[in-house]
């Protein structure tokens, strides 16, 4: 490559990649309500149509499944279209699908139509999620945990600013019109911002050589990654932690109602549920860059151990001590703070292990674990109905988190150390072949 060509490739400033990151964060924030705002629509829909809550929650599971399971294909499309066209076209199309999905929800007169809306919005959200996370790990090899954490924070905390407007609009104009106006607003913003996105060209990003965590010297293809046992260990860990968090995210309004605290006014005229909704989304979003940054400093597995141990304790506390308004708010916030970081830790760990070249597709393949975990959510309703309370649900969630801590420390980390040692040995032998 000529010096002129090299200069052209390296032209974007450090500020440009931060601009790309910010656009990704905003786009993620615009799809946050599809998951984290859902809980506020469940009871109004059940009341308006006499639908069973468990049947309505099937739509939530469908959304999460489609939002995750198609991301490998969507990531492959982005990579195939290239760094300039791929991100733009995928996110723009995602904005259209997101808007259309909630418009269908607004007009749905049957559960079947509600499920169609979940399918459409899930496809759109997945394309946006895969593209924005893929861009983050590519633009920031030197701060991968932080960058992915900030991107994922948009998805986790984006709903925080709309918790109150959504509940106020549902109360004043009904859930259907609320779906309608948020569909147009969120989808429109995504569609406009999409045309500013692109992925980096070779030579545009800093070297990741100064990082403090284990990183592979090689980039594995999706096929090579799927053949690796450590990928499937990460997959199982992701399913366990994701399922525990989704059970609470989808049911938080119902849990507060069963505890008898949802409508209790506790702060500036706001009810327990509204205060919890704001704080939970902030905690969920804040956890992602915080633990992502921590993992850049001390390593992914040690960070997982700290976060998921605290998470297991938080689930137990919500089941035993969360039955008053303020303890409910605090315990729920602790759960979201120790759950949200999976969306920064697991993509970072995956890219550390399998390299950045195919990162969009590889991280998307791991992200499909969230789709599998979504189908645990209705089981929480069944367990609650069988036992008559939420305690057993939280006990199961706590155990799931403790299992993941043990896997991270005593299985995954030793395997990664062994793999890194083998790569270093091979590199030395290649550089100094035996005479």
């Amino acid at each position: 490559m000529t010096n002129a060509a090299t200069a052209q490739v390296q032209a974007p400033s450090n500020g440009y990649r931060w601009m790309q990151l910010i656009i990704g964060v905003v786009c993620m924030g615009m799809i946050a309500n599809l998951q984290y705002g859902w809980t506020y629509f469940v009871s109004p829909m059940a009341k308006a149509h006499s639908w069973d809550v468990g049947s309505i929650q099937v739509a939530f599971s469908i959304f999460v499944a489609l939002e995750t399971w198609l991301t490998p294909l969507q990531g492959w499309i982005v990579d195939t279209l290239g760094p300039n066209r791929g991100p733009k076209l995928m996110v723009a199309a995602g904005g259209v699908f997101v808007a259309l999905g909630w418009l269908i929800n607004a007009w749905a007169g049957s559960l079947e139509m509600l499920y169609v809306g979940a399918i459409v919005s899930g496809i759109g959200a997945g394309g946006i999620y895969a593209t924005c996370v893929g861009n983050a790990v590519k633009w920031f090899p030197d701060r991968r945990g932080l960058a992915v954490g900030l991107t994922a924070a948009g998805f986790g905390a984006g709903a925080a600013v709309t918790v109150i407007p959504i509940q106020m609009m549902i109360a004043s104009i009904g859930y259907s019109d609320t779906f309608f106006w948020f569909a147009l607003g969120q989808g429109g913003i995504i569609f406009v911002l999409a045309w500013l996105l692109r992925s980096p060209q070779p030579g545009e990003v800093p070297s990741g050589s100064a990082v403090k965590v284990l990183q592979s010297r090689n980039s594995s293809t999706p096929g090579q990654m799927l053949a690796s046992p450590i990928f499937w260990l990460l997959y199982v860990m992701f399913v366990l932690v994701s399922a525990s968090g989704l059970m609470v995210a989808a049911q938080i309004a119902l849990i507060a109602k069963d505890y008898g605290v949802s409508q209790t006014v506790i702060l500036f005229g706001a009810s327990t549920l509204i205060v919890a909704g704001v704080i939970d989304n902030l905690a969920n979003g804040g956890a992602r860059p915080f633990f992502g940054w921590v993992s850049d400093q001390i390593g992914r597995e040690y960070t997982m151990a700290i976060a998921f141990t605290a998470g297991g304790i938080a689930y137990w506390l919500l089941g035993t001590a969360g039955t008053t308004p303020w303890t409910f708010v605090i315990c729920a916030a602790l759960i979201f703070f120790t759950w949200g970081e999976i969306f920064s830790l697991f993509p970072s760990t995956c890219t550390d292990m399998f390299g950045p070249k195919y990162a969009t597709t590889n991280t998307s393949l791991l992200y499909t674990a969230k789709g599998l975990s979504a189908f645990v959510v209705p089981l929480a309703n069944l367990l609650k109905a069988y036992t008559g309370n939420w305690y057993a649900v939280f006990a199961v969630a706590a155990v799931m988190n403790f299992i993941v801590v043990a896997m991270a420390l005593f299985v995954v980390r030793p395997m990664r150390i062994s793999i890194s040692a083998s790569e270093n040995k091979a590199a030395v032998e290649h550089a100094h072949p035996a005479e």
Side-chain angles (χ1 to χ4, degrees):
M1 182 179 287
T2 65
N3 291 335
T6 302
Q8 185 177 8
V9 169
Q10 295 177 340
S13 65
N14 188 51
Y16 184 82
R17 66 174 183 153
W18 282 99
M19 183 195 77
Q20 289 290 314
L21 185 67
I22 291 170
I23 294 171
V25 171
V26 174
C27 288
M28 294 281 271
M30 290 300 101
I31 63 173
N33 278 323
L34 277 67
Q35 177 170 310
Y36 296 104
W38 174 261
T39 188
Y40 306 111
F41 292 92
V42 174
S43 291
M45 283 191 288
K47 182 178 180 180
H49 298 282
S50 298
W51 292 339
D52 176 67
V53 169
S55 298
I56 294 174
Q57 294 293 35
V58 171
F60 180 84
S61 296
I62 291 172
F63 164 77
V64 175
L66 271 294
E67 184 246 344
T68 53
W69 288 349
L70 290 182
T71 54
L73 173 61
Q74 292 163 325
W76 176 82
I77 292 172
V78 171
D79 290 337
T80 300
L81 290 174
N84 289 320
R85 292 191 302 161
K88 291 180 174 64
L89 295 176
M90 181 57 69
V91 174
V96 172
F97 272 67
V98 162
L100 182 59
W102 267 32
L103 288 175
I104 293 173
N105 288 350
W107 300 323
S110 67
L111 285 168
E112 291 76 15
M113 188 56 66
L114 191 69
Y115 299 158
V116 171
I119 291 170
V120 174
S121 58
I123 293 171
I128 295 164
Y129 197 107
T131 305
C132 294
V133 170
N135 254 19
V137 297
K138 290 178 180 178
W139 279 107
F140 288 85
D142 53 330
R143 299 177 181 177
R144 188 166 286 147
L146 176 62
V148 178
L150 288 169
T151 303
F155 190 65
V161 296
T162 56
V163 166
I164 295 176
I166 281 180
Q167 295 192 63
M168 291 178 64
M169 287 178 68
I170 290 174
S172 61
I173 63 175
Y175 85 86
S176 180
D177 285 346
T178 305
F179 268 136
F180 177 85
W181 289 112
F182 270 88
L184 297 184
Q186 293 170 169
I189 291 172
I190 293 168
F191 185 82
V192 171
L193 291 178
W195 306 104
L196 301 175
L197 285 170
R198 73 174 181 87
S199 298
Q201 299 281 0
E204 281 192 298
V205 297
S207 168
S209 59
V211 296
K212 303 176 183 178
V213 299
L214 293 171
Q215 286 193 353
S216 174
R217 294 174 176 267
N218 308 310
S219 284
S220 301
T221 65
Q224 290 171 331
M225 184 187 72
L226 291 173
S228 170
I230 200 169
F231 169 78
W232 294 107
L233 286 170
L234 290 173
Y235 199 93
V236 171
M237 292 163 64
F238 201 140
V239 169
L240 290 173
V241 183
S242 178
S244 63
L246 286 176
M247 286 191 294
V248 175
Q251 317 279 3
I252 194 70
L254 302 177
I255 296 167
K257 182 179 179 181
D258 287 345
Y259 279 3
V261 300
S262 61
Q263 300 305 317
T264 304
V265 176
I266 60 172
L267 185 66
F268 304 127
S271 69
T272 301
L273 187 58
I274 290 177
V275 173
V278 173
I279 295 177
D280 290 349
N281 283 304
L282 291 174
N284 187 18
R288 303 175 187 213
F290 173 75
F291 283 109
W293 174 80
V294 170
S295 74
D296 286 338
Q297 312 304 314
I298 68 173
R300 314 298 183 204
E301 297 87 357
Y302 291 140
T303 307
M304 287 181 184
I306 294 170
F308 301 149
T309 297
I313 295 171
Y315 285 109
W316 177 78
L317 286 174
L318 183 59
T320 57
T323 53
T324 66
W326 274 112
T327 57
F328 177 86
V329 170
I330 294 169
C331 293
L334 286 173
I335 286 175
F336 278 88
F337 186 69
T338 54
W339 174 68
E341 78 286 342
I342 63 175
F343 302 108
S344 58
L345 294 183
F346 282 95
S348 300
T349 306
C350 181
T351 308
D352 289 345
M353 275 298 306
F354 302 107
K357 186 174 181 180
Y358 306 98
T360 304
T361 305
N362 287 346
T363 56
S364 296
L365 284 165
L366 180 58
Y367 186 60
T368 62
K370 180 185 173 185
L372 181 60
S373 69
F375 286 91
V376 178
V377 173
L379 298 180
N381 294 91
L382 295 177
L383 182 58
K384 187 262 179 180
Y386 178 76
T387 61
N389 57 64
W390 289 101
Y391 181 79
V393 174
F394 298 134
V396 170
V399 171
M400 291 161 71
N401 277 254
F402 295 144
I403 290 172
V404 172
V405 171
M407 293 176 69
L409 291 179
F410 304 118
V411 183
V412 172
R413 183 165 179 81
M415 290 179 68
R416 290 188 66 200
I417 291 173
S418 176
I419 292 170
S420 179
S422 297
E423 288 183 346
N424 291 337
K425 181 179 179 181
V428 171
E429 291 176 350
H430 179 75
H432 304 285
E435 296 183 359

